[in-house]
Amino acid sequence: MVIYRFLSGDDDSAFCHKVTKALSEGWLLYGEPHYVFDAAAGKMRCGQAVTKEVADQPYDPDRKLVDY
């Protein structure tokens, strides 16, 4: 089974660390990063989709994706 997450945050080093942590845990980048200007906050926000192949098991929407 492939699981999917979309990571988002301010366009700063903390976001880069979030993505790097996901990669170190076996997640793979999926597609291109996305950037948008948050006019209310006055700053750039970014997002990156990641996927991970996990052992076949029933999907449980109450389970945190990082726990697969």
Side-chain angles (χ1 to χ4, degrees):
M1 172 171 72
V2 176
I3 54 177
Y4 169 94
R5 291 172 60 195
F6 187 78
L7 306 173
S8 62
D10 293 340
D11 187 14
D12 59 13
S13 64
F15 177 76
C16 295
H17 285 282
K18 183 188 293 189
V19 174
T20 300
K21 183 176 186 296
L23 295 174
S24 75
E25 294 171 344
W27 295 85
L28 301 173
L29 298 177
Y30 182 82
E32 299 294 322
H34 297 276
Y35 297 93
V36 64
F37 181 70
D38 181 347
K43 59 176 103 176
M44 292 298 292
R45 306 249 318 141
C46 52
Q48 174 66 57
V50 292
T51 61
K52 185 176 184 180
E53 183 80 31
V54 297
D56 283 337
Q57 54 194 288
Y59 172 69
D60 179 358
D62 294 325
R63 185 175 178 187
K64 290 184 177 183
L65 293 174
V66 296
D67 292 338
Y68 275 95

